[in-house]
Amino acid sequence: MIVFVLARARNGVIGRDGKLPWHLPADLKHFKAQTMGKPMIMGRKTFESFPAPLPGRRHIVLTRDPHWAAEGAEVAHDVDAALALAGPGEVAIIGGAEIFALFLPRADRIELTEIDAAPKGDAVVPAFTGWRELSREAHPAEGDRPGYAFVSLVKP
C-alpha cells in the first residue's frame, strides 16, 4: 500500500527553500501519526531538510547520486529499489514534488492536508484530479494560521 502524506496549499505549493511555507502544529502532529512506524520514501532534499532523522520511522532516500550517503538514510536509486527496501505493508511517500510525480501512478491513497492559503514557493504539486474523497476534517483559520483540512483520497 503506497500512501502519499503531504500538505499542499490551494496554489499547489508544498515547500519554499526546503521548508514548509506555513507553521501548523496540528499538521505536524497529523504527519507524525500518519508516518510513525512506517518506512518513508523521500527525495534527498526532503531528507536533508530535517534537522535529524525522524524517530520511529525508516528513511528511504531516492537519489540519482550514486555516491550520496547519510546517517539514518537507506539509499535507493529508482522507484523499484525504494519499494523493495520498504518491503511489504504500508509505505509513506513524503516528498518532494519530483518524488510524488514518480510514485503517483502507483499510489493507493493520499493523506492530504489542504492548506487554505496561496504562499510563494519553489516546490509545487498539481491537484490530485480523479481521486475520490473518502473523508474530510476541516479546521478554521486561527490568528495568523490559515484554515486547513485533513483529506483522505483514494483511487476511484
Side-chain angles (χ1 to χ4, degrees):
M1 169 86 59
I2 297 174
V3 181
F4 283 17
V5 182
L6 74 151
R8 181 185 174 278
R10 66 176 172 253
N11 61 351
V13 168
I14 63 167
R16 179 177 59 228
D17 299 328
K19 296 182 172 63
L20 295 174
W22 47 76
H23 179 67
L24 289 171
D27 177 51
L28 299 176
K29 185 177 177 184
H30 182 71
F31 176 85
K32 182 177 182 179
Q34 293 293 327
T35 59
M36 186 56 72
K38 298 174 186 156
M40 300 183 305
I41 296 176
M42 68 204 78
R44 177 192 52 79
K45 289 186 260 185
T46 297
F47 179 82
E48 290 175 348
S49 74
F50 299 144
L54 303 176
R57 292 153 274 196
R58 290 174 54 211
H59 297 66
I60 299 169
V61 179
L62 190 53
T63 177
R64 289 182 286 266
D65 183 345
H67 306 292
W68 186 86
E71 190 171 329
E74 299 173 55
V75 180
H77 300 292
D78 61 54
V79 168
D80 290 328
L83 291 172
L85 274 174
E90 190 171 303
V91 59
I93 309 300
I94 65 165
E98 289 180 47
I99 303 303
F100 289 126
L102 284 172
F103 281 89
L104 186 59
R106 299 182 189 212
D108 299 296
R109 191 173 83 238
I110 299 170
E111 294 298 334
L112 175 64
T113 302
E114 289 182 344
I115 309 294
D116 189 19
K120 292 181 180 172
D122 52 21
V124 176
V125 169
F128 297 105
T129 55
W131 289 74
R132 184 171 57 87
E133 189 172 307
L134 202 58
S135 65
R136 173 178 292 268
E137 180 186 318
H139 300 271
E142 288 183 20
D144 61 347
R145 294 187 178 140
Y148 60 95
F150 298 132
V151 182
S152 291
L153 303 169
V154 292
K155 283 187 175 176

